Every structure is written in C-alpha cells, then in structure tokens.
Amino acid sequence: MGIKIYNTFTSQKEDFIPLEPDRVGFYLCGPTVYDYFHLGNARPFIVFDVYRRFLIYRGFQVKYVMNVTDVDDKIINRAQKEGVSVAEIAARYTQAFFEDMEKLGIHRADVHPKATEHIPEMIELIQKLLEKGYAYKIGGDVYFQVEKFRKYGRLSGKNLEELKAGARVEVDERKRNPLDFALWKAAKAGEPCWESPWGKGRPGWHIECSAMSMKYLGETFDIHAGGEDLIFPHHENEIAQSCAATSKKFARYWMHNGFLNIQGEKMSKSLGNFLIAREVVKRHRPEVIRLFFLQKHYRSPINYTEEILRQTANALDRLQNTLQNIEYYLKDSPQGTDVAHDQIQQGSEFSRLVQYSKREFIKAMEDDFNSAAAIGKIFEMAKEANRIMEKGELSKVDQFALADFRRMLLEYDQFLGILPGKDGLKKGEGDEDALVALLVQVREELRKKKEWSLADRIRNKLKELGYIIEDRREGSVWYKV
Ligand code: AMP
Ligand code: ZN
C-alpha cells in the first residue's frame, strides 16, 4: 500500500503521488513573529515535521519549506507599543521561534524564508496579476479581484455569495467586492516599506506565502499545510493569486490540522486563553508534548488540560520502563544469534504480535499519517512485552522478538521523537519520594542479609501502593506506575 493523504481541496483521501517520483515539495505556513508561539501553534509545527520525517523514512527526498512572516500589522503594533523598531521585534521573536522549535525537538525546515527578504519576488507576482487583469490599484494599494478568479472558494467549499455572507471583512468602499484582498499596501508613516512600481508600501500576508512557496518549490508542488483556520481566507487567497498568475495548479495536496482547544475554545492569542509553548516545555518534557499531539489524529480537535498532559507523561514513563526492562533482559542473555531457524519460523504469540504490529504501524502512518493508530500499536506491544517479561523465563524466540521490538521503536523514533531522554525512571513527589527511596534502601539491606521474606513483603506492599521495584545487577531501582 502506498501513502494516502486527506486532501482538503477535494475533501477526500487520495493516493499520494508526488509530481516527481520519490521527491516531495512540502510547504508549511510558519509563524508571524510578534510574540512567542503558543501550544496551539506548536501543533502544526510538530505534526507536519513528523510527517515530513516519515516521508524521508519511507525513502522520499523531501524539500520542506516553512516561512517566517516578519512584516505584518501585529508586528508593527507590537513595535509601536514597545517603542522599538519593527525589525527589532521581528528579530527577537524569530530567534525565540528557532529556540522553541529546538526545545520541542522539531527539526529545522530545509528553507525558512523570511518575507522581508523576498519583496522583489512578491512585487513580480503582483505585477503579473495586474498585467493579467486579476488585480487593480487604488491609490498606492493593490487588490486582488476575487470575482475574476472563477474557482474562488473551491478550497473552502463555498461560493462567493456564501463567503461574503460569512466573512468578517473590513468594509472598504473603494473595493469592488468586500472579499477583494490586499496584495500591496501603501506605506503609512512609521511603518516599514519598500519601493515598488505603485509607490512605497509593503506586501499583504497572502502574497508572501505564494511568492515564497513557488520560489523554493516551483509553481506546482506537492503538499501545502497549515492549521484549519488558514483554509479561509489565507489558503484560498494563496490559490487564487498563484493560479491566476501562473495558469497552473498550485499545491496538489492541502493538509490542515485541527485545533488545540482549551475549555472548549480554540487556543488563540486574540482570545487570551493561550499557553506559551516555552513555558509548557518547562513543566513537561518535550517528548510528552509531542506524544500529546501525536496520539491524536492530526485532523481531530485536541483538548488541552494539565491532567491529559500528566497522563501522557505516565504513559511515556511506562514505555520508557518497558524499554529499560528489555535492555536489562537482553543484557543478561545475548539474544538472537543462537535462535534456531525453525524456532523463529514457528514463532511465539509475542513474536507474531511484533511482526503484525510492525506492519500495522506503517500502514497506519501511510493512511493519512494516522499517528494515533500507529502509536496505539506501540503501546499494545509494550503491554504484551511487559506481560511476558513479568512471567520471567523467556524463550529464545521471545528474546529475539523483544530485541526486534526495541530496534523497531528506536527506528520509528527517528521521526516520532517521543522516546524519553536519559532522565531515568519516573519518581513520585517530594516527601513521598524520599520515603519510598528509604524503604527501597532498607529492603536492599535485608536482601544482603538474605532476609528474603521481609524483603518480599516490602516489595509487594509497595506494589500495591503503585511503586514497582526492580532488582538489577547494579542494585534496585523503583518507579511509580
Ligand atoms: P499564526 O502564527 O497565528 O499564523 O499560526 C501559526 C500556525 O498555527 C498556523 O498554521 C495556525 O493555523 C496554527 N494554529 C493557530 N492556533 C492554533 C490552535 N489553537 N490549534 C492548532 N493550530 C493552531
Ligand atoms: Zn501561509
């Protein structure tokens, strides 16, 4: 089976056939750098980076482009409020954006084009639209005339009348249609501006993405992604401008992630209900935040609560413990090499599960990047791995399968990035932590004196309370379930 992608443009899951075999051009709308990005913004940044890395894992050569919008009303407002230059605000939050991406384990794109460094490309595009009669000038402003573009509304699945009724567009008597949008805005005092054939001014937001995506990926490219709030008007306008200018198809597959909600509402700057990603990553490991997003389908809404993040952290700890246990077992008994061929052929229940789940994992990822289902497979295998390790006495085949499971996890983590760092097992909190540690120490002493029954009683009692002790060669370790 090949890869399938749900294409917003056709409202269908489609076979993914890149324009050029084995090569993928992938564009993600990046941040507007006027503040730190919030946890909602982190969703597309994380999930689309994982999908791009999955495509690479599957053998595609991916060119991934993510813009930085560094000239915009919001940046200008912030600069005015702080009494500093627009460039200073943009530089500060561009740097913060890269720092936060790194903190969240998001790989850099191949190109991060900045809007301010692509003004000539935007001017050229606007020029073309004027020449072809899709745009008109009013004073120093240039507008795109939506009625001239027959397919306007295709992406959002609405016609012009419906869009007009639903849109909150600024009333500007000079525009021919309220939905007409600015390609170029005439300079205002105190705002950054550039020379153009229509006088000094700055580009509109939509033209930035058209110009930069086409510059780096070609006039027609494979995947264009962003949050679902960008479908209208941003992506609708990108399509109109680009197709009108080139008379060619623009992006071939449109992918949109669902919202991160908080108390039933979209997390957003304007509603004020947001959590800054760099603050959240101080409380929760990046792997936890990544798993939090990846364990849900990217098109579904996700609800944020601290409790869900804590549960996610627990699930991740269990997975980490499973991995450590596997390593412990395999260290004790060098596996694999001496497993008889017919034993492997025959397999065990666990080895069959690993083989099956491996295939199912890839199938899920190929099916519109269903990381939720894929990760579900990992947890099923981990549960079963724990069960057979608890039983003790592992057959050679099971050891072989455990090693296979471990290898597979590490391999998939090349794109998932959810395997915890090396910060050890999960502990309880504060005083509780110290008490359990003391009991574990006492038990160690008892074991040295061969007082097995008392040692076992302590271990069993702690297990009832949710603390697991594991005896290892280097001593006992414990963690909370
Ligand atoms: P912005 O900087 O507001 O343009 O947003 C950057 C990216 O984050 C865009 O792709 C948005 O669609 C996306 N985004 C914004 N808010 C949310 C949210 N609450 N949940 C998911 N994605 C979001
Ligand atoms: Zn964009």
Side-chain angles (χ1 to χ4, degrees):
M1 195 185 97
I3 291 171
K4 284 188 190 306
I5 292 182
Y6 180 87
N7 188 351
T8 311
F9 195 76
T10 55
S11 310
Q12 269 176 14
K13 234 186 243 179
E14 295 173 7
D15 289 327
F16 176 60
I17 304 162
L19 203 56
E20 283 180 61
D22 304 330
R23 284 167 168 266
V24 180
F26 196 149
Y27 186 88
L28 175 66
C29 287
T32 304
V33 282
Y34 70 106
D35 206 341
Y36 300 115
F37 66 79
H38 62 66
L39 197 60
N41 300 136
R43 188 175 189 186
F45 301 165
I46 289 175
V47 299
F48 292 116
D49 169 51
V50 168
Y51 304 159
R52 157 244 200 157
R53 278 149 71 178
F54 175 70
L55 289 171
I56 295 171
Y57 172 75
R58 294 304 276 164
F60 291 97
Q61 224 181 311
V62 183
K63 185 164 181 187
Y64 189 60
V65 181
M66 184 186 188
N67 68 299
V68 173
T69 296
D70 58 351
V71 55
D72 179 83
D73 290 344
K74 290 177 192 154
I75 307 174
I76 295 169
N77 291 343
R78 175 104 194 205
Q80 283 168 352
K81 226 165 50 199
E82 285 194 23
V84 298
S85 72
V86 170
E88 192 176 327
I89 294 288
R92 185 197 303 164
Y93 292 109
T94 302
Q95 193 189 337
F97 161 70
F98 286 119
E99 287 167 6
D100 294 349
M101 291 267 285
E102 197 173 330
K103 283 191 188 124
L104 289 167
I106 303 166
H107 288 189
R108 286 223 178 187
D110 298 296
V111 196
H112 281 287
K114 289 181 181 169
T116 53
E117 291 170 4
H118 295 78
I119 306 290
E121 286 85 348
M122 296 173 205
I123 290 177
E124 197 185 321
L125 200 54
I126 299 171
Q127 194 81 305
K128 228 185 244 178
L129 291 170
L130 278 165
E131 280 161 21
K132 287 185 142 188
Y134 286 103
Y136 58 93
K137 286 179 276 190
I138 309 175
D141 296 327
V142 183
Y143 284 97
F144 186 91
Q145 190 172 355
V146 292
E147 273 158 6
K148 284 275 167 79
F149 186 68
R150 235 176 356 95
K151 290 185 198 144
Y152 195 79
R154 251 310 276 283
L155 181 72
S156 36
K158 293 199 167 85
N159 63 36
L160 264 181
E161 288 314 307
E162 286 170 315
L163 285 171
K164 227 189 287 182
R168 279 179 298 158
V169 280
E170 78 242 53
V171 184
D172 183 343
E173 294 302 326
R174 305 170 310 158
K175 291 202 282 189
R176 297 181 190 168
N177 183 311
L179 290 174
D180 290 353
F181 56 90
L183 296 168
W184 188 260
K185 301 175 180 184
K188 291 195 194 118
E191 290 187 2
C193 60
W194 290 262
E195 289 291 349
S196 84
W198 325 286
K200 284 189 173 163
R202 63 186 166 96
W205 170 36
H206 316 300
I207 200 76
E208 295 178 8
C209 280
S210 285
M212 292 189 281
S213 57
M214 291 198 286
K215 167 161 183 179
Y216 292 99
L217 299 172
E219 290 174 341
T220 305
F221 59 92
D222 297 303
I223 305 175
H224 194 316
E228 67 183 20
D229 52 340
L230 300 187
I231 296 175
F232 186 84
H234 185 50
H235 290 164
E236 194 74 70
N237 292 351
E238 274 190 53
I239 293 174
Q241 302 160 151
S242 312
C243 295
T246 65
S247 309
K248 288 182 191 155
K249 194 163 181 76
F250 178 50
R252 303 169 62 240
Y253 298 86
W254 286 88
M255 296 181 71
H256 293 100
N257 65 274
F259 291 141
L260 174 71
N261 293 328
I262 178 164
Q263 290 169 337
E265 268 183 319
K266 177 194 170 192
M267 184 176 285
S268 82
K269 235 23 222 291
S270 53
L271 291 171
N273 59 355
F274 60 92
L275 297 153
I276 294 293
R278 62 166 55 195
E279 292 302 321
V280 181
V281 83
K282 284 181 192 159
R283 295 198 301 275
H284 299 282
R285 287 164 287 159
E287 296 85 359
V288 171
I289 298 171
R290 299 174 65 85
L291 179 59
F292 168 72
F293 285 120
L294 293 168
Q295 70 193 357
K296 272 270 186 176
H297 196 287
Y298 76 91
R299 284 190 279 118
S300 308
I302 294 190
N303 207 31
Y304 160 85
T305 63
E306 264 313 287
E307 182 51 27
I308 300 175
L309 275 175
R310 270 198 297 272
Q311 284 166 6
T312 309
N314 284 343
L316 202 51
D317 287 332
R318 282 198 298 275
L319 187 63
Q320 181 182 20
N321 287 328
T322 306
L323 255 183
Q324 283 182 341
N325 287 343
I326 292 176
E327 273 155 22
Y328 174 66
Y329 269 103
L330 298 182
K331 197 166 58 186
D332 260 1
S333 41
Q335 82 300 330
T337 45
D338 55 347
V339 183
H341 185 66
D342 56 339
Q343 264 184 310
I344 295 175
Q345 286 286 307
Q346 203 182 10
S348 66
E349 206 181 310
F350 180 64
S351 72
R352 279 190 293 273
L353 177 75
V354 171
Q355 289 310 317
Y356 170 75
S357 304
K358 252 163 67 168
R359 286 194 299 273
E360 291 298 300
F361 179 97
I362 296 293
K363 258 202 229 166
M365 285 301 290
E366 288 192 337
D367 182 14
D368 192 28
F369 306 103
N370 192 345
S371 56
I375 285 169
K377 292 289 157 210
I378 290 181
F379 280 99
E380 272 171 34
M381 280 184 277
K383 203 170 150 195
E384 197 52 27
N386 287 336
R387 207 180 61 77
I388 63 162
M389 284 191 287
E390 253 168 47
K391 267 195 336 210
E393 287 303 292
L394 290 172
S395 69
K396 283 274 185 287
V397 177
D398 278 341
Q399 287 174 26
F400 191 79
L402 279 177
D404 200 19
F405 173 50
R406 177 179 171 276
R407 204 170 29 244
M408 183 191 84
L409 269 183
L410 299 180
E411 194 174 304
Y412 294 165
D413 208 52
Q414 288 169 33
F415 49 90
L416 294 176
I418 57 164
L419 283 188
K422 294 171 180 46
D423 57 348
L425 301 166
K426 183 189 174 224
K427 299 287 156 103
E429 280 163 26
D431 294 345
E432 177 190 304
D433 218 8
L435 269 179
V436 178
L438 181 65
L439 277 171
V440 173
Q441 238 175 20
V442 170
R443 182 176 165 273
E444 282 256 64
E445 294 299 317
L446 289 169
R447 276 162 48 84
K448 276 184 200 147
K449 294 183 184 152
K450 301 199 181 335
E451 304 223 12
W452 306 118
S453 95
L454 194 52
D456 282 351
R457 260 174 64 199
I458 293 178
R459 187 177 62 179
N460 294 342
K461 192 68 202 169
L462 280 176
K463 190 173 177 187
E464 278 172 33
L465 296 170
Y467 298 94
I468 305 296
I469 301 181
E470 281 171 6
D471 298 318
R472 300 189 178 172
R473 240 185 253 147
E474 64 275 17
S476 301
V477 294
W478 65 275
Y479 60 93
K480 196 169 188 268
V481 283

